[in-house]
Amino acid sequence: MIEKALEQVGNCDRMVMGHTVQSKINAALDGKAWRVDVGASRGVIAGTPEVLEVMNVDGTEVVSVLTKSGKVPGSERHVMAMARFL
């Protein structure tokens, strides 16, 4: 389903989503779905701010998460799918 959705919105590589609060920025579906809402507002969970960084470095795409402690490779934030839906 993610492949079809990405194709329909303009042949994209990934989808970035907000309004689904997570404790930290993370990716699912082999990095095709990124959840970036860390609930930084005091009215939500007062989470620590993070930033998803996607850069083109000499023709190679580099995905990182910028945190208070430094830069984390995007590959370290991939999570396994919890369930499959038909």
Side-chain angles (χ1 to χ4, degrees):
M1 289 173 40
I2 188 76
E3 295 291 340
K4 187 173 182 177
L6 292 172
E7 184 180 304
Q8 288 180 344
V9 295
N11 199 22
C12 299
D13 295 327
R14 76 185 56 78
M15 184 178 297
V16 178
M17 297 166 278
H19 303 290
T20 305
V21 179
Q22 308 287 303
S23 61
K24 59 186 178 182
I25 290 177
N26 63 75
L29 304 173
D30 296 321
K32 293 181 171 119
W34 282 88
R35 297 173 285 216
V36 298
D37 188 341
V38 292
S41 168
R42 285 183 299 211
V44 183
I45 62 171
T48 303
E50 293 188 336
V51 175
L52 180 66
E53 176 183 67
V54 181
M55 296 177 54
N56 182 323
V57 178
D58 297 325
T60 301
E61 185 177 87
V62 178
V63 178
S64 304
V65 177
L66 307 180
T67 72
K68 186 176 180 180
S69 303
K71 188 181 283 196
V72 177
S75 59
E76 292 184 17
R77 292 293 185 91
H78 288 220
V79 296
M80 300 299 292
M82 298 289 285
R84 291 190 70 114
F85 297 96
L86 299 176

